[in-house]
Amino acid sequence: MWEVKKNYILYFDSGTSNTRAYLLDRDFRICDSAKRTVGSKDSAIAGSNRVLIEGMKILYDQVLEANSLSDGDVEAIYASGMVTSPYGLKEIPHLVLPMTVQDFADSLYPFHEDTCFHRDIFLVPGLKTLSDDFSFVNNLRGEEIEIIGALEELKAERDVENVVMLMPGSHTHGIYIQGDQITGIISNFTGELFYALKQDTILSPVLTSDSLELDEAMVRKGIENLERFGFNRALYICHAMRIFEHGTPQQRLSYGESVIMGGVRQSLEYYCEHFWKECRTVALVSDEFMYRLFSMILEGSRYIDRIIWMPISDGKSYGVSGLKKIVSLKGERHE
């Protein structure tokens, strides 16, 4: 039961470079949030997770002070993301798919942090797939709780039984969901690849743009050339377009985005052909730009004929929704 004075929980969403803290009331409504540029990368550089723990405690104190609260007002602390990696709070093994949402809820890991917090923090494990062929090994950390939150909304609003939840980011993950069971993952190297090409290669002038507009014809051309020539040649054409002043900066960026992200379609279609044969639907958890881009990239697919957009924004957290679901399934409050 909730004690009268303990009306709040604190949820940390911690990534490689940034950590966000959410102050939630007993109905899991967001009361306040704060962000700090600290993550597992900083622990890796320092050779110790102390920098991450201290950064999270600063966030914790900041949120509590801003709301005139004390540690005694917080019933429980939860954390997801890279906190379960080797340079997080504590390395926790990935959970192996397939598994139900209930199985996932039962796998929260209580970690007693006695350096700064001096209390339990409940950690949300990552997910992975196993295979005798390493080509089919995948894993994710951080997206797992967002998947559950997005799935709750998807099931409430749409008639969907077999769906791939596509989550663009540093790594773009496709998560196959059948009913209430999470059965598979395909992971792709996307956002980090785009960033590396933009920062450190001759393609920097092409990929550096503030435009959020896409040229549909050039997106289709990128997919066509990716299929015809493979990634290396298709990407070189992006460079050649600039050298010979072919197209506008917007058209060249659209082509480059398509080539870099188009491999997601290739991997997704392979899985749909060989493993996820009942799937015809993609639920895209993304901002508007990525929704428009992937709608064009998946246009004409032989396997995907329905795309559902699940928008993300600063004011909405599927992670918080997922936390609410797994805590309710667990059927108990943590002291």
Side-chain angles (χ1 to χ4, degrees):
M1 296 292 294
W2 286 85
E3 296 181 24
V4 174
K5 69 174 182 177
K6 294 186 177 182
N7 292 324
Y8 301 94
I9 65 174
L10 202 292
Y11 165 54
F12 288 106
D13 179 5
S14 185
T16 303
S17 303
N18 299 286
T19 297
R20 184 178 290 276
Y22 293 93
L23 179 68
L24 311 173
D25 67 14
R26 65 173 65 191
D27 295 316
F28 289 83
R29 291 182 294 240
I30 299 175
C31 302
D32 198 4
S33 67
K35 183 179 178 181
R36 188 174 179 85
T37 54
V38 64
S40 60
K41 177 183 68 177
D42 301 283
S43 296
I45 293 171
S48 166
N49 67 355
R50 182 67 182 253
V51 63
L52 175 60
I53 295 171
E54 290 177 349
M56 291 173 67
K57 185 60 163 60
I58 291 171
L59 265 180
Y60 183 70
D61 292 341
Q62 175 185 335
V63 171
L64 294 188
E65 182 179 357
N67 292 274
S68 302
L69 300 173
S70 69
D71 183 62
D73 296 310
V74 178
E75 187 223 7
I77 303 174
Y78 297 87
S80 68
M82 295 299 288
V83 289
T84 59
S85 71
Y87 290 102
L89 296 186
K90 181 177 176 60
E91 185 174 10
I92 306 298
H94 293 82
L95 302 175
V96 180
L97 297 182
M99 67 186 308
T100 65
V101 176
Q102 180 67 63
D103 294 333
F104 185 84
D106 292 337
S107 301
L108 292 180
Y109 185 94
F111 166 64
H112 188 76
E113 202 297 295
D114 57 5
T115 303
C116 295
F117 287 87
H118 305 288
R119 60 181 293 175
D120 283 349
I121 299 176
F122 294 90
L123 306 181
V124 180
L127 302 175
K128 69 178 179 181
T129 59
L130 296 178
S131 174
D132 292 335
D133 183 346
F134 68 86
S135 303
F136 299 99
V137 171
N138 299 275
N139 73 90
L140 53 83
R141 292 189 196 268
E143 292 84 0
E144 65 287 326
I145 196 167
E146 296 178 48
I147 293 164
I148 293 171
L151 179 59
E152 271 299 285
E153 181 175 309
L154 188 65
K155 290 170 65 177
E157 298 182 1
R158 309 276 186 165
D159 180 22
V160 177
E161 283 297 319
N162 301 289
V163 59
V164 172
M165 193 167 287
L166 202 61
M167 309 182 82
S170 297
H171 302 82
T172 295
H173 302 287
I175 303 94
Y176 189 39
I177 301 167
Q178 295 178 285
D180 199 39
Q181 190 173 50
I182 305 169
T183 62
I185 305 169
I186 44 172
S187 302
N188 303 269
F189 201 62
T190 51
E192 287 196 40
L193 176 61
F194 183 92
Y195 180 80
L197 291 168
K198 176 180 175 179
Q199 292 295 114
D200 297 315
T201 75
I202 202 168
L203 287 174
S204 178
V206 177
L207 302 179
T208 301
S209 173
D210 295 327
S211 175
L212 294 179
E213 297 300 319
L214 289 164
D215 186 287
E216 188 171 348
M218 294 309 294
V219 172
R220 288 198 297 266
K221 193 67 173 178
I223 294 296
E224 176 186 331
N225 282 346
L226 187 62
E227 292 284 346
R228 286 200 296 180
F229 303 125
F231 178 77
N232 294 75
R233 167 65 183 161
L235 197 62
Y236 172 80
I237 292 170
C238 188
H239 169 61
M241 289 170 66
R242 184 182 72 87
I243 294 299
F244 296 104
E245 299 182 343
H246 179 84
T248 65
Q250 176 193 350
Q251 288 174 323
R252 293 193 285 266
L253 176 64
S254 298
Y255 176 89
E257 287 271 15
S258 178
V259 171
I260 294 168
M261 302 299 286
V264 176
R265 169 174 169 167
Q266 292 176 319
S267 64
L268 176 59
E269 290 189 328
Y270 182 90
Y271 269 67
C272 287
E273 179 180 0
H274 295 280
F275 307 115
W276 304 343
K277 297 183 179 181
E278 296 179 345
C279 180
R280 305 291 304 181
T281 301
V282 162
L284 193 63
V285 183
S286 72
D287 60 19
E288 184 179 358
F289 178 84
M290 281 295 166
Y291 167 65
R292 288 188 280 111
L293 176 61
F294 273 100
S295 295
M296 297 175 193
I297 286 175
L298 293 171
E299 183 183 79
S301 171
R302 292 177 297 161
Y303 302 96
I304 300 299
D305 49 31
R306 182 185 182 194
I307 300 176
I308 300 170
W309 182 31
M310 305 190 71
I312 60 173
S313 67
D314 290 338
K316 181 177 185 177
S317 169
Y318 285 116
V320 170
S321 302
L323 179 64
K324 179 180 180 180
K325 178 65 176 179
I326 61 177
V327 170
S328 67
L329 283 175
K330 196 165 182 60
E332 65 182 274
R333 300 294 185 182
H334 304 289
E335 299 296 335

